[in-house]
Amino acid sequence: NHKHYSAGAVIWIVIKYFSLVFFSFVALLPIVSCVITAFKTDAEYQSTNVMTLPESWLNFQNFIDAFNRANMGRAYLNSAIILVFVLLGSILVGTQLAYVLNRFKFPGNGLIRNLFLFASLLPAVAMQVTVYNIMTALHFVNHLYGYIILMCGTDVISIYIFIQFMENIPISLDESAIIDGASYWTIYWKIMLPLLKPAIVTSCILKGVGVYNEYYMANLYLMDKKLHTIATSLYTFVGPMGSQYNLICAGVIISLLPALIVFILCQKQIYSGIAAGAVKG
């Protein structure tokens, strides 16, 4: 039994598959060129184009040089410290704030929600002068704790994810717990937080990727070389005398490894968290 397709259906299938192949190629091309460049020596990089394969795939000198010269071990440690504290702070503050806004009706509840929305519409760059003045006045510049507090700042998207998720959790659970003598604090810790796990996973992915890749703020507030994060450490090889792209590409691959390992180990939780977050939202 052969299926017969009309001319229009055939054209649509061709366009669909062509677009899938084309956009896959566009997405993979920078990654492939980055991997190829990372294995090239300086002489090879200067004399060949970006897609010419290296003479040896066993040349790991670029990775060693990138790791040592950019002090990426320290940068990994700084990024890990920042990531752990920022995610913990954002989750605790965001879930508690969402719990109050969703479960308690009080004058100004709607106003606070609208103010969060208004704050998300303001471009961050427009507020940088004021933020920098505040950070300087509080002596938070060039300190990891200051940068962590800054990055823990109101995460509007996460708060809305938590609020939307909580709206699908029946209030009868709270009422039953109150009848059993539970306080609001107990309800939050024992009932809300465990049920918010899919939303927390979604929030951690969004916030974690943003913080890990953050360059502008890290470069502005963490100028000391000992405080460099993974994103800022890669700019060790950029300068007025030219950029060493073979070392930069090696550094990029090194910086991608932790995220890749986390994704491979936790992909089940990540997929389920995003799917649940999307359904509940």
Side-chain angles (χ1 to χ4, degrees), residues 10-73:
V10 171
I11 292 169
W12 172 244
I13 291 168
V14 169
I15 291 170
K16 184 168 67 174
Y17 282 101
F18 174 79
S19 64
L20 287 171
V21 171
F22 175 75
F23 286 112
S24 299
F25 176 76
V26 169
L28 291 172
L29 186 62
I31 300 169
V32 172
S33 65
C34 182
V35 172
I36 290 171
T37 304
F39 285 92
K40 288 184 178 180
T41 62
D42 289 337
E44 279 184 275
Y45 177 72
Q46 296 294 335
S47 60
T48 59
N49 67 56
V50 291
M51 295 308 291
T52 304
L53 296 178
E55 288 182 11
S56 172
W57 288 100
L58 299 175
N59 174 31
F60 295 104
Q61 192 58 44
N62 287 342
F63 295 90
I64 296 166
D65 289 346
F67 192 86
N68 292 332
R69 286 171 58 184
N71 199 10
M72 292 186 78

Side-chain angles (χ1 to χ4, degrees), residues 18-166:
F18 174 79
S19 64
L20 287 171
V21 171
F22 175 75
F23 286 112
S24 299
F25 176 76
V26 169
L28 291 172
L29 186 62
I31 300 169
V32 172
S33 65
C34 182
V35 172
I36 290 171
T37 304
F39 285 92
K40 288 184 178 180
T41 62
D42 289 337
E44 279 184 275
Y45 177 72
Q46 296 294 335
S47 60
T48 59
N49 67 56
V50 291
M51 295 308 291
T52 304
L53 296 178
E55 288 182 11
S56 172
W57 288 100
L58 299 175
N59 174 31
F60 295 104
Q61 192 58 44
N62 287 342
F63 295 90
I64 296 166
D65 289 346
F67 192 86
N68 292 332
R69 286 171 58 184
N71 199 10
M72 292 186 78
R74 182 61 184 260
Y76 267 133
L77 181 61
N78 290 338
S79 289
I81 292 168
I82 291 165
L83 206 56
V84 168
F85 283 101
V86 167
L87 290 181
L88 280 174
S90 297
I91 290 164
L92 288 174
V93 172
T95 50
Q96 288 175 17
L97 191 54
Y99 176 55
V100 170
L101 291 174
N102 179 254
R103 288 301 199 246
F104 300 93
K105 304 303 176 187
F106 53 89
N109 186 309
L111 176 64
I112 293 170
R113 292 194 191 200
N114 291 329
L115 285 174
F116 281 137
L117 185 62
F118 179 71
S120 68
L121 298 174
L122 291 172
V125 177
M127 299 181 284
Q128 275 309 308
V129 174
T130 307
V131 173
Y132 193 85
N133 287 336
I134 294 169
M135 291 284 285
T136 305
L138 294 172
H139 304 290
F140 280 174
V141 177
N142 241 5
H143 293 288
L144 271 187
Y145 61 83
Y147 181 72
I148 289 167
I149 292 168
L150 175 67
M151 295 305 289
C152 281
T154 309
D155 190 2
V156 179
I157 294 173
S158 293
I159 290 168
Y160 277 116
I161 289 172
F162 294 138
I163 289 174
Q164 291 295 323
F165 204 94
M166 277 187 188

Side-chain angles (χ1 to χ4, degrees), residues 211-231:
V211 172
Y212 188 75
N213 293 325
E214 176 61 56
Y215 169 74
Y216 176 75
M217 303 281 265
N219 189 49
L220 187 63
Y221 295 106
L222 299 174
M223 293 167 283
D224 192 327
K225 285 187 177 181
K226 292 180 180 178
L227 300 176
H228 276 185
T229 62
I230 283 295

Side-chain angles (χ1 to χ4, degrees), residues 174-228:
D174 302 39
E175 293 169 345
S176 300
I178 290 168
I179 291 168
D180 290 337
S183 64
Y184 291 125
W185 188 247
T186 306
I187 293 168
Y188 165 75
W189 277 109
K190 298 291 178 69
I191 298 174
M192 287 298 171
L193 214 53
L195 290 175
L196 282 173
K197 185 183 172 184
I200 289 170
V201 171
T202 307
S203 176
C204 282
I205 294 164
L206 296 173
K207 186 80 173 177
V209 170
V211 172
Y212 188 75
N213 293 325
E214 176 61 56
Y215 169 74
Y216 176 75
M217 303 281 265
N219 189 49
L220 187 63
Y221 295 106
L222 299 174
M223 293 167 283
D224 192 327
K225 285 187 177 181
K226 292 180 180 178
L227 300 176
H228 276 185

